[in-house]
Amino acid sequence: MASVLVVEDDQFVRSALIRHLTEAAHTVRSVGTALEALREVAHVGFDVVILDLGLPDLDGGEALKMLRGITDVPVIIATARDDEADIVRLLNDGADDYLTKPFSVEHLSARMAAVLRRSRATGAEPPSRVIRVGGLSIDPLRRQAELDGTVLDLTRREFDLLAFLAGRPGVVVPRRELLAEVWQQSYGDDQTIDVHLSWLRRKLGETAARPRYLHTLRGVGVKLEPPR
């Protein structure tokens, strides 16, 4: 079972989430503002945070950025917003998943289970060897990647994606395999992969139109190989 922080200012929704999560044997703490959430996360080790966007003191998107500055704890966004641009921005800013309100407790449970599986899988003992592909150097133990000697500022998921592809240089990896191995999901939206690939390309100094390391084969998958 997991230790969960619920960040939600609507008392009715908050009470329902607490009740459901407690009945599922999770340990639950709850707050109603972004600043309270930051204080809680700074002092308590949570397994997952459920973060509402419509908070009274600070927009949840800004709170997410601040959370990412102090912790890698998985964050599930709970939002009434269904605009694609908003969802992409939240994923870019470090959200692990999102749910559009209203949602069922069963849906929340399934998303939480998937996020926790991914988090615990990436917490497993990584390979000890440093992976080198062209000017890329990836150290799984230190969770650090460098490009031509410069350390890359990568999110947890960006690093996992880069390390997985770099461990199979020149091999076209199907998107379904990426979802299964990097995201620990048997199904999902290709948009999630596209968002992370886009940001990873930007940090590698390339674009989809002019790739250097990351190459997408439409309808097939993605491969990483050294520049020619």
Side-chain angles (χ1 to χ4, degrees), residues 184-223:
Q184 300 295 306
Q185 292 182 208
S186 57
Y187 66 92
D189 190 343
D190 281 358
Q191 182 187 48
T192 299
I193 298 176
D194 291 336
V195 165
H196 287 85
L197 282 172
S198 175
W199 278 76
L200 195 50
R201 282 192 174 103
R202 182 177 300 183
K203 293 176 181 180
L204 294 176
E206 61 182 71
T207 65
R210 294 188 174 183
R212 296 181 64 235
Y213 285 91
L214 292 169
H215 301 264
T216 300
L217 282 72
R218 183 169 296 180
V220 182
V222 184
K223 68 175 177 178

Side-chain angles (χ1 to χ4, degrees), residues 125-142:
E125 187 66 25
S128 59
R129 67 184 181 89
V130 174
I131 304 169
R132 302 185 191 279
V133 180
L136 275 171
S137 175
I138 301 162
D139 187 336
L141 282 177
R142 296 170 62 200

Side-chain angles (χ1 to χ4, degrees), residues 20-21 24 26 48 50 76 96-99 103-118 183-187:
H20 164 68
L21 293 169
H26 297 298
V48 63
I50 300 171
I76 299 175
D96 292 82
D97 205 344
Y98 65 91
L99 281 168
F103 52 81
S104 68
V105 292
E106 291 79 14
H107 195 173
L108 172 61
S109 293
R111 293 298 184 96
M112 270 187 57
V115 164
L116 289 168
R117 282 197 303 271
R118 297 198 297 266
W183 276 267
Q184 300 295 306
Q185 292 182 208
S186 57
Y187 66 92

Side-chain angles (χ1 to χ4, degrees), residues 17-68:
L17 289 174
I18 293 170
R19 182 175 64 256
H20 164 68
L21 293 169
T22 302
E23 288 173 352
H26 297 298
T27 302
V28 186
R29 293 172 73 105
S30 66
V31 295
T33 68
L35 293 179
E36 288 176 311
L38 291 167
R39 281 197 292 267
E40 285 288 311
V41 168
H43 294 96
V44 181
F46 294 99
D47 294 313
V48 63
V49 174
I50 300 171
L51 176 65
D52 176 42
L53 291 185
L55 298 173
D57 59 335
L58 189 66
D59 179 78
E62 293 303 313
L64 173 65
K65 293 179 183 178
M66 297 174 73
L67 282 171
R68 280 291 164 257

Side-chain angles (χ1 to χ4, degrees), residues 167-188:
R168 297 151 184 79
V171 175
V172 179
V173 181
R175 287 170 175 267
R176 181 174 295 180
E177 185 176 346
L178 289 176
L179 281 171
E181 298 297 332
V182 179
W183 276 267
Q184 300 295 306
Q185 292 182 208
S186 57
Y187 66 92

